[in-house]
């Protein structure tokens, strides 16, 4: 294996599917310093390349796949692939990151990022082997599931190939179709439909060049400290590497019956307990260079299939939120979603919303053509999942995804739609963890999300948290959320932006405490600055790292301004019955006070929520202000459609 000389050796691959051309562009040290990698590179590319208010399924949209800065290294959990696009689900920034091997392979092939533009006339896939990049016919692959696609490409190119691509849901433009990596690793928010709209089935990559830090001795010394931390962490050893995130079923109050009741550990029905899931486990697996191995491998006796990653989110969304408690049926649904390439949370929440609307008489029985929307009907839900992936019958409506689905039934249905900027979230009272949980959903630049800036909020309530590390961080300047909720949120948003840009997994024990390398030893941004300097050979200070995260976040806010996002879209939604109460009204007032303070401290205009010119200029991105300042963009109301 030959070696390259650090991240600056990598290039950006720009693949124009309309013309069938591939261009390589070098990445400068300045770009690494200003945008770090992964999410940072992608968000800049989207802002620069995607116009405001276009149809996300038109050829003008761009698909960006970015490695984190530390991809392919031994630093734990740092080979996440960040996938960004204008989301066909929400009509704003849509990004997600997926594990597997792809990111490391792409790095070994010498690339930091892939940008896909245009639309091919016929189905294509891209094959990358180091410097060789080819756009190939994919007519034989079109229609295959994600697993079949990976098997086909491995038969063709060898077992070491890593694959990102889509299943039938992406081909059928299901608005919450995902990009799937190496069969089982999913990146959400509808990017799969963008692949489908571009007639791009997959990208397969083999890289042989390796990665060499600029200062290997220093870098490996710090990486070893980080690895050792996980190896001696009791929670990792006893729970995370043994059970995985479905441990959260007894910790995070999974929703029952469309967010009507959170279930405590004592209330969990048989079928949804971690030990029920453990009965199906036959092994464990992990992403590249991850010592945690949080993912279970399960076997389904009824179908003879193997799947992986029975996560908290999939079990609550497909299971408890739909009142389904049949363990094997839930695992089978999750596996179907992976094979068809759909996001489990939007899938499960949309079906649960359909059940609620049916129960309330807002959705009539006629269009169901005999289908059941009874709570707890597992066999019916399996049928609905398949119909959604292929947009058959009623599944064509479900395939629109949550808020777009509710819009089909008018304002009465929208009143039960608990989204932020088009993305499903469930609902929480504003005083839940002093308002910050809801605020973090409202300020997330990709719509409602639990991994954009919130994990700090749990520190004293979450048994998973390393409390000693939190105490050290409070001493080092982490704002206490009880005294300074907005300060704590901004800190959390910076940390999550950093993790996504470095390629570090935020699923690691559900906390940016571990999602940022060395954070248990140094203040959040200091340890990372040291690692970045050792790895890239570029001098990073703590301030450089903080500024980079703010540059990325404000670029994303400006991207959403171009998509028509106004201050009103930072709102909080409650069920209509609760929204009418004085208690709810007081919480809404409190929420808007927090939003105002947040916008002020982020350097945005409090009336419009646009980032201010002086803020952008201070970060060296005045050109962003040129594109949004004093401009009126048509108000956002979900994704634009060229054909109504
Ligand atoms: S913690 Fe789990 S999801 Fe994250 S990198 Fe490790 S194996 Fe992958």
């Amino acid at each position: 294996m030959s070696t390259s000389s650090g991240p600056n050796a990598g290039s950006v691959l720009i693949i124009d599917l309309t013309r069938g051309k591939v261009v390589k562009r070098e990445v400068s040290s300045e770009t690494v310093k200003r945008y770090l990698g992964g999410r940072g590179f992608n968000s800049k590319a989207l802002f620069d390349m995607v116009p405001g208010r276009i149809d996300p399924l038109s050829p003008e949209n761009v698909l960006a796949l970015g490695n984190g800065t530390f991809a392919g290294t031994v630093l734990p959990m740092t080979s996440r692939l960040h996938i960004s696009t204008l989301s066909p689900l929400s009509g704003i920034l849509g990004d997600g990151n997926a594990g597997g091997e792809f990111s490391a392979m792409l790095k070994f092939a010498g690339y930091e990022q892939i940008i896909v533009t245009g639309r091919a006339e016929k189905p294509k896939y891209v094959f990358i082997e180091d410097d060789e990049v080819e756009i190939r016919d994919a007519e034989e692959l079109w229609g295959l599931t994600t697993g079949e696609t990976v098997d086909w490409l491995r038969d063709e190119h060898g077992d070491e190939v890593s694959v990102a691509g889509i299943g039938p849901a992406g081909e059928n433009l299901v608005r919450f179709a995902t990009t799937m990596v190496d069969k089982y690793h999913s990146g959400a928010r509808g990017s799969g439909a963008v692949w489908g709209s571009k007639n791009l089935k997959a990208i397969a990559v083999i890289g042989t060049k390796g990665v060499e830090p600029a200062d290997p001795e220093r870098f490996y010394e710090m990486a070893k400290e980080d690895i050792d931390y996980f190896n001696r962490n009791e929670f990792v050893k006893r729970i995370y590497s043994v059970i995985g995130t479905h441990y959260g079923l007894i910790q995070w109050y999974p929703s029952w019956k469309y967010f009507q009741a959170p279930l405590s550990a004592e209330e969990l029905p048989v079928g949804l307990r971690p030990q029920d899931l453990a009965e199906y486990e036959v092994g464990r697996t992990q992403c590249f260079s991850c010592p945690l191995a949080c993912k279970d491998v399960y076997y389904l006796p009824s179908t003879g299939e193997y799947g992986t990653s029975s996560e908290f989110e999939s079990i609550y969304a497909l299971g408890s939120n739909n009142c389904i408690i049949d363990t094997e049926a839930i695992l089978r649904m999750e596996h179907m979603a992976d094979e068809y390439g759909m996001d489990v949370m939007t899938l499960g929440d949309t079906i649960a919303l359909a059940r609620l609307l049916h129960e309330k008489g807002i959705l009539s029985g006629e269009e169901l053509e005999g289908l059941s929307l009874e709570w707890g009907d597992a066999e019916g839900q399996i049928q609905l999942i398949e119909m959604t992936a292929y947009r058959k019958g009623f599944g064509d409506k479900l395939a629109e995804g949550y808020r777009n689905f509710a819009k089909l039934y008018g304002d009465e249905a929208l009143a039960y739609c608990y989204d932020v900027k088009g993305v499903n979230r469930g609902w929480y009272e504003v005083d839940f963890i002093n308002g910050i949980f809801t605020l973090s959903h409202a300020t997330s630049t990709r719509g409602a999300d639990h991994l954009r800036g919130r994990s700090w909020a749990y520190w004293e309530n979450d048994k998973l948290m390393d409390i000693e590390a939190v105490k050290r961080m409070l001493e080092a300047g982490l704002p206490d959320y009880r005294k300074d909720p907005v300060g704590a949120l901004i800190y959390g948003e910076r940390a999550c932006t950093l993790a996504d840009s470095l390629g570090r997994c935020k699923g690691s024990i559900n906390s940016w405490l571990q999602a940022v390398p060395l954070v248990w030893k140094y203040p959040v941004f200091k340890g990372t600055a040291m690692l970045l300097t050792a790895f890239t050979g570029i001098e990073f200070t703590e301030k450089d790292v903080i500024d980079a995260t703010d540059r990325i976040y404000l670029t994303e806010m400006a991207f959403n301004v171009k998509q028509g996002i106004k201050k009103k879209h930072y709102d909080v939604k409650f069920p209509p019955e609760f929204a009418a109460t004085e208690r709810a009204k007081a919480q809404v007032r409190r929420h808007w006070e927090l939003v105002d303070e947040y916008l002020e401290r982020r350097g945005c205009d409090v009336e419009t929520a646009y980032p201010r010119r002086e803020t952008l200029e201070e970060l060296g991105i005045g050109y962003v202000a040129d594109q949004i300042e004093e401009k009126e963009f048509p108000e956002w109301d979900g994704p634009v459609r060229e054909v109504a």
Side-chain angles (χ1 to χ4, degrees):
M1 184 182 281
S2 63
T3 58
S4 63
S5 58
N8 299 331
S11 310
V12 176
L13 267 185
I14 302 168
I15 300 170
D16 178 345
L17 290 170
T18 303
R19 292 176 187 77
K21 300 263 186 234
V22 178
V23 173
K24 295 175 190 174
R25 198 181 64 205
E26 292 304 308
V27 178
S28 69
S29 298
E30 191 193 349
T31 303
V32 174
K33 186 151 184 173
R34 289 162 65 80
Y35 295 95
L36 303 173
R39 176 174 151 194
F41 282 12
N42 285 1
S43 296
K44 174 169 169 48
L46 286 183
F47 182 84
D48 292 351
M49 297 176 76
V50 178
R53 298 305 282 156
I54 59 160
D55 184 339
L57 299 176
S58 71
E60 284 179 282
N61 197 3
V62 166
L63 186 64
L65 286 72
N67 281 337
T69 327
F70 297 129
T73 71
V74 295
L75 199 68
M77 305 177 296
T78 48
S79 288
R80 305 286 295 187
L81 177 72
H82 212 80
I83 306 141
S84 310
T85 192
L86 173 62
S87 167
L89 176 68
S90 64
I92 64 163
L93 174 67
D95 66 47
N97 67 47
E101 308 269 320
F102 191 93
S103 176
M105 269 296 182
L106 194 62
K107 189 84 164 189
F108 296 156
Y111 305 103
E112 303 299 326
Q113 187 188 34
I114 299 174
I115 293 174
V116 183
T117 66
R119 172 185 289 157
E121 271 185 21
K122 291 187 174 162
K124 299 287 178 189
Y125 78 93
V126 175
F127 177 60
I128 302 167
E129 186 168 17
D130 292 335
D131 297 337
E132 303 300 318
V133 182
E134 290 176 34
I135 302 173
R136 295 188 171 196
D137 287 340
E139 300 208 28
E140 271 189 67
L141 282 84
W142 209 251
L144 299 186
T145 65
T146 56
E148 290 166 344
T149 301
V150 172
D151 291 341
W152 192 99
L153 288 164
R154 286 185 177 157
D155 283 348
E156 185 76 9
H157 299 293
D159 283 345
E160 68 273 36
V161 79
S162 179
V163 177
I166 58 171
E171 296 171 12
N172 295 319
L173 310 183
V174 173
R175 287 184 180 272
F176 49 91
T178 60
T179 302
M180 295 296 293
V181 173
D182 296 336
K183 295 189 180 182
Y184 301 118
H185 310 273
S186 166
R189 279 159 213 88
S191 60
V194 177
W195 291 68
S197 74
K198 294 185 175 305
N199 271 324
L200 180 62
K201 178 69 176 175
I203 301 175
V205 60
I206 301 174
T208 62
K209 297 183 186 177
V211 178
E212 178 79 9
D215 181 348
E217 194 178 330
R218 184 79 182 113
F219 181 76
Y220 289 128
E221 181 190 325
M222 286 189 281
K224 183 174 180 311
E225 285 188 275
D226 210 37
I227 295 166
D228 288 347
Y229 174 75
F230 288 105
N231 286 340
R232 65 174 183 264
N233 183 298
E234 282 303 313
F235 180 76
V236 169
K237 281 195 288 192
R238 286 189 295 107
I239 295 176
Y240 210 69
S241 298
V242 182
I243 300 176
T245 69
H246 66 239
Y247 169 78
L249 289 165
I250 55 170
Q251 172 76 17
W252 300 327
Y253 293 84
S255 306
W256 179 260
K257 205 174 187 183
Y258 191 67
F259 308 108
Q260 291 180 38
L263 297 174
S264 66
E266 296 71 37
E267 292 167 321
L268 263 190
V270 173
L272 294 181
R273 302 166 308 172
Q275 63 264 41
D276 301 321
L277 290 146
E279 286 185 21
Y280 293 85
E281 183 177 324
V282 291
R284 298 201 71 77
T285 185
Q286 73 263 40
C287 308
F288 182 88
S289 87
C290 181
L292 274 68
C294 77
K295 295 168 181 286
D296 57 350
V297 179
Y298 53 79
Y299 176 68
L300 301 172
S302 63
T303 62
E305 293 170 297
Y306 291 88
T308 185
S309 301
S310 57
E311 305 234 11
F312 169 78
E313 278 80 11
S314 55
I315 293 156
Y316 109 74
L318 296 169
S320 62
N321 215 24
N322 279 286
C323 303
I324 291 170
I325 57 172
D326 177 337
T327 319
E328 185 170 349
I330 297 168
L331 291 175
R332 191 172 154 209
M333 290 173 207
E334 181 188 72
H335 186 60
M336 287 173 76
D338 283 351
E339 286 288 331
Y340 293 141
M342 291 188 283
D343 171 45
V344 288
M345 286 179 74
T346 303
L347 175 65
D349 287 357
T350 305
I351 294 174
L353 175 60
R355 293 187 201 281
L356 184 88
L357 298 183
H358 182 49
E359 185 178 79
K360 291 188 176 296
I362 300 168
L363 188 163
S364 78
E366 282 170 27
E367 63 193 285
L368 297 176
E369 297 171 350
L371 280 168
S372 159
L373 277 179
E374 293 301 312
W375 296 103
D377 178 0
E379 277 310 310
Q381 185 157 306
I382 285 171
Q383 210 181 336
L384 285 173
I385 290 171
E386 183 177 340
M387 291 170 71
T388 303
Y390 290 95
R391 282 189 174 269
K392 284 188 211 151
F394 182 62
D396 188 40
K397 291 184 173 172
L398 293 171
E400 288 298 296
Y402 203 62
R403 183 177 183 274
N404 306 313
F405 169 78
K407 268 176 87 177
L408 299 173
Y409 299 92
D411 289 346
E412 223 186 334
L414 279 169
Y416 290 97
C417 188
Y418 317 131
D419 69 296
V420 174
K421 303 181 183 84
V423 181
N424 42 305
R425 72 177 285 260
W427 74 278
Y428 309 86
E429 294 204 39
V430 169
D431 55 10
F432 174 60
I433 317 188
N434 295 358
I436 317 174
F437 191 76
T438 296
L439 183 67
S440 72
H441 284 213
T443 61
S444 159
T445 46
R446 61 179 176 187
D449 192 89
H450 65 293
L451 288 175
R452 209 62 163 184
R454 61 106 199 187
S455 294
W456 45 269
Y458 285 95
W459 62 264
E460 67 179 12
N461 304 301
D462 194 336
K463 296 189 188 85
L464 320 192
M465 196 62 86
D466 181 340
I467 295 296
E468 289 309 310
V470 174
K471 284 182 188 157
R472 278 197 299 277
M473 291 175 61
L474 285 167
E475 285 160 17
L478 164 65
D480 184 331
Y481 73 89
R482 294 161 303 191
K483 297 178 192 148
D484 181 7
V486 171
L489 169 60
I490 293 171
Y491 208 87
E493 285 179 344
R494 285 172 172 158
C496 289
T497 306
L498 182 57
D500 289 338
S501 302
L502 302 179
R504 180 89 155 193
C505 179
K506 299 196 303 295
S508 57
I509 329 183
N510 191 41
S511 162
W512 56 254
L513 265 177
Q514 284 81 21
V516 177
L518 296 175
V519 73
W520 48 272
K521 183 168 184 182
Y522 303 103
V524 172
F525 307 104
K526 188 173 174 188
T528 308
M530 291 159 62
L531 269 167
L532 282 165
T533 302
F535 183 64
T536 65
I538 305 165
E539 193 64 36
F540 275 88
T541 64
E542 196 172 3
K543 183 175 184 314
D544 291 332
V545 175
I546 294 170
D547 283 354
T549 65
D550 287 349
R551 197 172 290 120
I552 295 163
Y553 213 84
L554 271 81
T555 298
E556 293 171 352
M557 290 174 93
F559 178 84
N560 288 339
V561 166
K562 289 205 289 184
Q563 310 311 324
I565 290 297
K566 316 282 182 197
K567 184 178 173 187
K568 67 190 274 193
H569 301 123
Y570 287 70
D571 59 345
V572 52
K573 298 194 179 90
F574 294 133
E577 300 80 11
F578 180 65
T581 65
E582 288 307 313
R583 179 185 168 115
K585 287 175 190 165
Q587 290 187 17
V588 169
R589 284 195 293 276
R590 173 66 179 146
H591 175 71
W592 284 113
E593 282 169 13
L594 291 170
V595 169
D596 282 355
E597 184 186 339
Y598 172 86
L599 292 171
E600 186 65 47
R601 289 173 69 173
R602 271 292 190 189
C604 299
D605 185 287
V606 173
E607 296 304 313
T608 63
Y610 284 25
R612 288 198 196 103
R613 172 172 285 280
E614 58 266 33
T615 311
L616 298 170
E617 283 181 346
E618 266 175 39
L619 292 166
I621 48 172
Y623 84 100
V624 170
D626 297 340
Q627 293 192 34
I628 60 168
E629 194 179 55
E630 293 173 15
K631 293 207 168 84
E632 267 304 313
F633 298 95
E635 188 172 305
W636 172 89
D637 186 22
V640 171
R641 293 154 198 263
E642 277 172 356
V643 181

